[in-house]
Amino acid sequence: MPYFQYSIDLPVKKERRTFIKKISLASISSALGAHIVFADKMPKGYLPVLMEEQDSLKSMGKDPSLTVLNDRPWNVETPVHLLDDRETPVSKMFIRNNGLLPEQINLEEWTFTIYGESVIKAKTYNMEELKNKFKTYSYYLVLECGGNGRGEFYPPAEGNQWGVGAVSCAKWTGVRLRDLLEDVGLKNDAVYIGYHGLDSHLSGDPKKASISRGIPIWKALQDETLLAFTMNNQELPFIHGYPLRLVAGGFPASASGKWLKAISVRDKVHDGEKMEAPSYRVPISPIEPGTTADSEDMRIIESMPVRSIITYPKSGAQVAFGQTLAIRGHAWAGEAAVNHVEYSIDFGSTWRACNLERPINRLAWQHFSAKIEFPLKGYYEVWVKATDDKGISQPMVVPNWNPKGYLNNACHRVAVKLV
Ligand SMILES: Nc1nc2c(c(=O)[nH]1)N[C@H]1C(S)=C(S)[C@@H](COP(=O)(O)O)O[C@H]1N2
Ligand SMILES: [Mo]
């Protein structure tokens, strides 16, 4: 029962229990938007699965039209047309959990420690100390799951079959990881940091972390690498890592540890859960689809590749012939910036420039738009292709197959009918 994966006491959870007892068949039908044909066969007190899912989404502050790919652990994708906002609201931010949610976190008891073989003096802070001792900064940062777009690989790659909606760009506020690393002091041999969260392994084994990844020290020391306690000017939502999360924009979002209790500073590449191949690694040279690569022939994913999504119109839109269609969306390029975005309505034969805005800050997504005129009535596809500031473009077909299906940045396409 996915619902009870929540060990914290959300108000909705209490509400729902009474709700189940009291709810009438008519109101269940109206919530489902359909008459239950075999209602007389449905066990008493049974909550239809569609409502259970929508209820869970609601309790996590999510729009009910998000797609649940998995409920143990929670993996929830945002349909791409719902990513139209410049600042992704909580309700439309995808969820990617590797394990079970932490127990209730009491801020009075919660502390955050920086330790490890490469710190001069390990230190523990509470939230007040973090907020008072260090300056706060805000940045808009793209968090994109390394497996975003995995569903398009063939043969299918292992893991959640994400479409292209495992991406967000929210406003994150917190302290710089760099300032804390300066506070504890780094030894000369520091090369990597690892994060340690309060969530638990799917197996329930308390000795095993669900995920404990990290970033190289150069990334840890960047201005934009934050320990965030605020998202979109609101307290960090529980599902996104309350009370403190690492946000390392530009890297696969697996680097942005949620529900932090500690960070370790390492004299070698961090060796926590899911750091080993093939997790979050890709073959150094292309391999034949469906085959494997030896661990030593794989590299850890750092910067995410250039990518764009069309957030308006929704694929399948109908437009009256003679009207111009104004398309829009976002583009980003990991550690790089997007240099230009183009669109095609003739399957990539010719391309025209989109209008592209500058990012609000480094590592934020950039907005593009274009006004399109169509020559005849009929079926079209709008393809969009972004190019980063190193001249690297998105491929039009799914790129290098890899065992875990990472880094598919093929052009996004939407269907449009001129009627
Ligand atoms: N502690 C912890 N941090 C985590 C994860 C997790 O399972 N546990 N999942 C990671 C992965 S793979 C992704 S893509 C992002 C998803 O962040 P979000 O759920 O806030 O969108 O969180 C990362 N940080
Ligand atoms: Mo991820």
Side-chain angles (χ1 to χ4, degrees):
M1 289 270 280
Y3 202 83
F4 298 104
Q5 201 186 317
Y6 259 107
S7 40
I8 56 155
D9 234 349
L10 292 164
V12 169
K13 185 173 171 182
K14 283 187 203 139
E15 257 169 43
R16 213 202 68 188
R17 281 193 192 130
T18 44
F19 178 67
I20 301 172
K21 265 186 257 157
K22 288 192 194 137
I23 196 163
S24 70
L25 196 58
S27 43
I28 291 185
S29 292
S30 106
L32 294 171
H35 165 68
I36 305 172
V37 176
F38 293 110
D40 60 323
K41 306 278 191 308
M42 194 169 78
K44 222 172 154 226
Y46 180 83
L47 191 70
V49 72
L50 182 64
M51 279 180 75
E52 190 176 345
E53 200 170 284
Q54 297 208 338
D55 224 29
S56 302
L57 285 172
K58 249 196 267 164
S59 75
M60 295 186 289
K62 299 295 163 185
D63 186 303
S65 29
L66 265 52
T67 313
V68 177
L69 298 181
N70 194 345
D71 57 26
R72 196 185 161 86
W74 283 109
N75 280 270
V76 178
E77 160 151 24
T78 313
V80 70
H81 69 280
L82 293 183
L83 287 171
D84 200 35
D85 302 88
R86 286 168 174 247
E87 172 185 289
T88 311
V90 183
S91 61
K92 293 172 184 161
M93 180 178 269
F94 79 98
I95 303 169
R96 167 50 170 147
N97 290 346
N98 288 266
L100 302 177
L101 285 162
E103 298 289 316
Q104 183 164 7
I105 296 169
N106 181 353
L107 205 55
E108 316 277 272
E109 286 159 24
W110 175 87
T111 58
F112 173 67
T113 302
I114 303 198
Y115 71 104
E117 61 268 14
S118 296
V119 298
I120 291 167
K121 186 176 174 1
K123 284 191 186 177
T124 297
Y125 310 85
N126 61 31
M127 186 57 82
E128 237 178 69
E129 287 164 335
L130 285 181
K131 287 184 176 170
N132 296 335
K133 208 167 160 185
F134 304 96
K135 195 168 172 230
T136 49
Y137 297 86
S138 294
Y139 299 103
Y140 282 85
L141 299 166
V142 173
L143 287 187
E144 181 182 18
C145 182
N148 194 24
R150 177 182 291 137
E152 293 176 357
F153 279 106
Y154 189 82
E158 214 181 284
N160 294 291
Q161 296 299 302
W162 298 104
V164 293
V167 63
S168 65
C169 184
K171 180 185 179 187
W172 298 97
T173 302
V175 295
R176 282 185 174 149
L177 175 56
R178 185 177 68 212
D179 291 347
L180 271 83
L181 294 177
E182 266 167 27
D183 196 48
V184 293
L186 291 184
K187 292 188 186 162
N188 287 336
D189 61 2
V191 294
Y192 226 87
I193 67 103
Y195 67 73
H196 307 273
L198 290 160
D199 50 337
S200 50
H201 192 263
L202 263 190
S203 63
D205 180 349
K207 288 191 290 288
K208 236 174 140 187
S210 94
I211 184 169
S212 170
R213 294 189 46 81
I215 47 178
I217 208 80
W218 64 263
K219 179 66 180 170
L221 296 175
Q222 264 183 7
D223 283 0
E224 298 84 1
T225 300
L226 296 180
L227 293 165
F229 38 74
T230 300
M231 182 188 140
N232 298 343
N233 300 327
Q234 309 264 315
E235 181 174 82
L236 183 53
F238 186 78
I239 196 75
H240 295 295
Y242 174 88
L244 189 73
R245 88 175 290 174
L246 184 61
V247 190
F251 267 46
S254 55
S256 293
K258 305 194 273 192
W259 309 292
L260 292 184
K261 61 176 179 208
I263 278 190
S264 52
V265 184
R266 310 298 316 265
D267 63 3
K268 58 178 181 190
V269 172
H270 182 54
D271 52 2
E273 190 67 23
K274 303 214 174 180
M275 279 301 292
E276 70 283 13
S279 291
Y280 304 101
R281 294 189 190 223
V282 287
I284 294 163
S285 322
I287 60 167
E288 197 183 316
T291 62
T292 52
D294 292 336
S295 307
E296 59 278 16
D297 296 330
M298 299 186 95
R299 66 169 177 92
I300 298 176
I301 302 166
E302 295 195 337
S303 176
M304 291 295 286
V306 61
R307 175 165 222 159
S308 54
I309 49 173
I310 304 161
T311 58
Y312 185 88
K314 183 179 172 180
S315 191
Q318 297 211 0
V319 179
F321 179 65
Q323 267 181 18
T324 8
L325 173 68
I327 65 157
R328 58 176 182 265
H330 319 289
W332 62 95
E335 287 288 315
V338 178
N339 181 271
H340 58 276
V341 176
E342 296 155 288
Y343 75 86
S344 173
I345 58 167
D346 55 11
F347 302 100
S349 301
T350 59
W351 294 89
R352 284 168 191 246
C354 293
N355 172 51
L356 177 67
E357 295 178 27
R358 279 202 219 284
I360 189 164
N361 55 252
R362 211 178 79 81
L363 309 180
W365 63 20
Q366 295 170 240
H367 314 295
F368 67 82
S369 58
K371 289 197 171 79
I372 307 181
E373 275 165 27
F374 297 88
L376 293 166
K377 283 187 182 179
Y379 175 89
Y380 296 86
E381 288 183 8
V382 179
W383 293 9
V384 164
K385 177 173 73 174
T387 302
D388 71 16
D389 57 9
K390 292 185 221 112
I392 301 172
S393 300
Q394 288 182 258
M396 279 145 68
V397 294
V398 178
N400 295 342
W401 191 93
N402 61 89
K404 291 280 206 168
Y406 299 122
L407 308 185
N408 168 22
N409 64 337
C411 290
H412 184 215
R413 304 166 294 177
V414 295
V416 179
K417 280 185 208 159
L418 272 286
V419 292

